[in-house]
C-alpha cells in the first residue's frame, strides 16, 4: 500500500500543495474541474494503483473553495465532514428536491447525495490543523453567484461551511474503490453575488501550502 492520493482541480492548486508537503509518499494530481471529470479521473488513478498492487491508503479532494459568510473567513482552512451533491436533484413548485428524495432505488444512488468522509482520516487532519473550520462541503456544477441562490443553499444546508466543484465526484470514486476519503479546502472568496475583485486566490493558495503539511 502506498501513501495518500491528493487530487485537485487545477495545476495551481497541485503546485501549492506540493510546495508544502512534508511526506514524499503523497501523490498530488490535478484531475480537472467539476464532479464528473474529477470522479472519472480519480477512479482511473485508484484502479491503476490497485492493479499495480500499490493501492493508495486514502484519497483527499483538495483545493480552493467559496466559504459561507459568517461560517468561515476568506483565507481560512476547511475540513469537510461530508461531501454533498448540492444541486443533484429536481426543481419543483415547492423548491429543490434532492435526488435521495425522488423515490429512486437505493442501488441507483451510489453513496447517496451526501457522502461522509472517513473518520480516521478526518481525525488525523483535524489533529494537524486544529484551527480549521469543520463541516459539510457542498459540491456544485454551477458556482453560486447571486444572493438568492446563496440564501437558498444556506437554507437547505444550514451547517455547510464551503462550496466547491469536485468533492462529491471524488468521494463516489473512493467509495467504489473501497478507499478512505477526505476533503481539504482553503477559502478564496465568500459565497454570494459574483465579484471577482473580492476573490483572494493568492491568499487561498498560500493557505493551501500551509495546510499541506497535514497530508501524510
Amino acid at each position: 500500500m502506498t501513501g495518500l492520493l491528493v487530487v485537485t482541480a487545477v495545476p495551481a492548486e497541485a503546485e501549492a500543495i506540493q510546495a508544502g508537503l512534508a511526506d514524499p509518499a503523497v501523490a498530488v494530481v490535478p484531475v480537472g474541474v467539476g464532479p464528473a471529470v474529477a470522479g472519472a479521473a480519480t477512479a482511473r488513478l485508484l484502479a491503476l494503483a490497485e492493479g499495480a498492487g500499490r493501492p493508495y491508503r486514502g484519497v483527499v479532494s483538495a483545493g480552493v473553495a467559496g466559504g459561507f459568510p459568517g461560517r468561515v473567513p476568506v483565507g481560512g482552512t476547511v475540513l469537510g465532514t461530508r461531501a454533498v451533491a448540492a444541486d443533484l436533484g429536481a426543481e419543483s413548485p415547492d423548491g429543490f428536491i434532492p435526488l435521495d428524495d425522488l423515490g429512486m432505488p437505493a442501488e441507483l444512488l451510489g453513496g447517496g447525495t451526501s457522502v461522509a468522509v472517513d473518520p480516521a482520516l478526518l481525525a488525523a487532519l483535524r489533529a494537524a490543523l486544529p484551527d480549521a473550520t469543520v463541516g459539510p462541503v457542498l459540491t456544485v456544477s454551477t458556482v453560486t453567484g447571486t444572493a438568492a441562490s446563496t440564501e437558498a443553499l444556506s437554507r437547505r444546508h444550514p451547517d455547510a461551511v464551503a462550496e466547491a466543484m469536485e468533492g462529491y465526484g471524488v468521494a463516489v470514486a473512493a467509495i467504489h474503490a473501497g478507499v478512505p476519503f477526505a476533503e481539504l479546502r482553503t477559502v478564496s472568496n465568500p459565497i454570494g453575488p459574483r465579484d471577482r475583485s473580492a476573490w483572494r486566490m493568492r491568499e487561498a493558495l498560500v493557505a493551501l501550502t500551509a495546510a499541506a503539511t497535514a497530508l501524510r
Side-chain angles (χ1 to χ4, degrees), residues 7-116:
V7 294
T8 71
V10 298
E13 294 167 323
E15 291 164 6
I17 290 170
Q18 287 167 334
L21 282 179
D23 185 351
V26 175
V28 186
V29 183
V31 295
V33 178
V37 68
T42 300
R44 180 176 181 272
L45 291 169
L46 295 176
L48 287 173
E50 183 178 2
R54 299 189 300 273
Y56 290 104
R57 68 174 185 84
V59 58
V60 179
S61 178
V64 302
F68 280 92
R71 303 179 193 176
V72 59
V74 171
T77 299
V78 166
L79 294 173
T81 54
R82 306 185 69 83
V84 181
D87 54 9
L88 185 58
E91 291 184 331
S92 80
D94 297 320
F96 179 79
I97 305 173
L99 187 64
D100 297 23
D101 298 339
L102 291 177
M104 293 186 180
E107 61 269 19
L108 298 182
L109 298 180
T113 58
S114 180
V115 179

Side-chain angles (χ1 to χ4, degrees), residues 120-140:
L121 197 48
L122 175 59
L125 291 172
R126 291 189 72 171
L129 299 169
D131 295 329
T133 301
V134 180
V137 176
L138 307 184
T139 298
V140 295

Side-chain angles (χ1 to χ4, degrees), residues 152-179:
L153 268 188
S154 296
R155 189 167 56 249
R156 295 205 309 268
H157 304 281
D159 55 350
V161 294
E163 168 192 276
M165 300 184 76
E166 295 79 32
Y168 177 77
V170 177
V172 172
I175 284 177
H176 282 276
V179 174

